[in-house]
Amino acid sequence: MNKFKYYFILSITTLSLFSCSKNEDPIPVTPPRAYSVQYPTDLNDIEQYLKTYYITVSADFDATISKIPEGGSQISIWDQKIYQLKNRIVRLHAVDYKVYYLVLREGVGESPTNTDGVLAAYKGEYLQQVTTAGVTNLTATFFEEIKFPETFLSLNATITGWSEIFPQFKTGNYTSNPDNGKITYTDFGAGVLFIPSGLGYYATGTEGIPSYAPLVFSFKLHEILRFDSDGDGVLNYLEDINKDKYAYDFRNTFLHPTTPSVNADDTDGDGIPNYKDIDDDGDGFTTKAEIAAGTDYLNKNEHP
Ligand SMILES: [Ca+2]
Ligand SMILES: [Ca+2]
Ligand SMILES: [Ca+2]
Ligand SMILES: [Ca+2]
């Protein structure tokens, strides 16, 4: 009897909850900030970080980044001359993002394209302006470290800050210890990425990362994995026709509000880049069939 009563009350409550949300004004949801509004703030935070923090790097390329203490003689990342501080302009959401990255070592092996997978050790921090007792300070907060990565991350599926900068680095060499199977990596690419929030988790944030937080990742690129996104037997990096290590799908008008007049990686110009196009030359015969027949799949005058 008591149980029945409980269910009865529960169902009434549920009903009234539903009717409340129906009749009352919806809870106001703040729309995400415009990317063009947020970006200058992020750039400012990142440049302030570069100018007020310094880096030390261990023999095995573990990077430690700390704030220069008051009166400290450490040289900022911005001013130091040991490592090259580079940047890459990434045009997305109609914003020209400047993505800074520090080259600790370029690597000697192969570079991924932005559509490949990477096996990378990394450590991540997010930046935030924190006001305490009327004083605002830029803070860097640790959120994750993977020292011994076991899974490849698809650059296509992870944050854009990663997919845009990892192709600038190379893998190295590795040796496997026959006794315990332990792999040792040498000469790998290592660097630090400074990512505006628009190329990170932006308004939603993610577990442990607040919204609109620029991200800093130090990383070591151990291995890459070549993908074949359209399953035609031609790996993505071989479908990067102009060999710039980047291929884009401009059909996504949220990411790309303006499409370039020519996409070098779209042979038939149908808007589908070759790495996703099962018929690269648009002759009605699939690339797979053309390869099987020994014809040139990039030449529409030649097909099975
Ligand atoms: Ca392919
Ligand atoms: Ca390309
Ligand atoms: Ca195409
Ligand atoms: Ca074809």
Side-chain angles (χ1 to χ4, degrees):
M1 188 61 195
N2 278 347
K3 216 176 200 177
F4 174 75
K5 202 172 170 185
Y6 171 74
Y7 283 128
F8 181 70
I9 291 166
L10 193 72
S11 59
I12 292 288
T13 320
T14 315
L15 271 177
S16 54
L17 272 178
F18 273 112
S19 50
C20 274
S21 59
K22 222 175 189 179
N23 296 336
E24 288 174 10
D25 289 336
I27 300 158
V29 176
T30 315
R33 290 174 202 158
Y35 287 100
S36 58
V37 170
Q38 179 61 30
Y39 169 60
T41 305
D42 288 356
L43 182 66
N44 183 64
D45 288 353
I46 289 169
E47 290 187 346
Q48 186 184 338
Y49 179 81
L50 292 170
K51 289 170 184 175
T52 56
Y53 280 68
Y54 69 100
I55 187 168
T56 52
V57 181
S58 77
D60 197 36
F61 287 83
D62 289 309
T64 307
I65 303 178
S66 317
K67 198 167 203 157
I68 300 173
E70 193 81 30
S73 59
Q74 293 88 344
I75 302 168
S76 70
I77 299 171
W78 188 268
D79 287 326
Q80 58 76 41
K81 299 276 181 276
I82 303 170
Y83 309 109
Q84 255 196 304
L85 180 63
K86 293 186 168 183
N87 70 72
R88 173 175 168 82
I89 304 298
V90 177
R91 187 162 182 78
L92 214 66
H93 319 114
V95 173
D96 283 328
Y97 291 99
K98 189 181 214 178
V99 186
Y100 286 102
Y101 61 99
L102 194 64
V103 183
L104 303 180
R105 183 170 64 190
E106 191 186 356
V108 297
E110 284 186 274
S111 295
T113 71
N114 68 330
T115 61
D116 286 322
V118 293
L119 185 73
Y122 65 89
K123 185 167 72 176
E125 294 183 336
Y126 64 82
L127 305 185
Q128 225 178 3
Q129 296 284 358
V130 176
T131 305
T132 318
V135 181
T136 303
N137 273 304
L138 179 70
T139 60
T141 309
F142 166 87
F143 62 83
E144 190 179 26
E145 178 165 26
I146 303 288
K147 278 191 175 182
F148 306 103
E150 289 178 346
T151 46
F152 283 87
L153 295 173
S154 160
L155 290 179
N156 241 347
T158 186
I159 57 171
T160 314
W162 274 45
S163 62
E164 285 293 332
I165 305 301
F166 268 90
Q168 301 299 320
F169 290 83
K170 294 171 181 159
T171 57
N173 299 307
Y174 62 87
T175 48
S176 180
N177 183 327
D179 296 331
N180 57 17
K182 194 173 173 280
I183 293 173
T184 307
Y185 296 95
T186 52
D187 305 319
F188 47 81
V192 189
L193 314 179
F194 308 93
I195 303 172
S197 66
L199 305 181
Y201 297 102
Y202 205 56
T204 54
T206 188
E207 208 179 318
I209 303 172
S211 45
Y212 306 114
L215 306 174
V216 177
F217 285 99
S218 55
F219 69 88
K220 306 178 194 183
L221 178 54
H222 285 166
E223 288 182 51
I224 62 173
L225 184 62
R226 300 296 193 186
F227 286 140
D228 176 12
S229 295
D230 56 5
D232 62 1
V234 186
L235 296 172
N236 288 356
Y237 83 105
L238 296 171
E239 302 212 55
D240 166 27
I241 302 303
N242 66 350
K243 299 284 168 243
D244 65 352
K245 294 180 283 185
Y246 296 87
Y248 297 99
D249 187 346
F250 291 104
R251 290 175 299 171
N252 184 336
T253 52
F254 174 71
L255 295 178
H256 309 282
T258 50
T259 48
S261 50
V262 177
N263 181 353
D265 301 317
D266 176 15
T267 298
D268 60 4
D270 67 350
I272 308 170
N274 286 23
Y275 83 97
K276 285 184 172 178
D277 197 338
I278 59 165
D279 175 12
D280 292 327
D281 58 1
D283 63 356
F285 296 87
T286 63
T287 301
K288 212 172 184 173
E290 288 175 289
I291 290 172
T295 57
D296 180 1
Y297 62 94
L298 294 178
N299 178 3
K300 69 176 165 195
N301 297 318
E302 205 184 308
H303 50 73

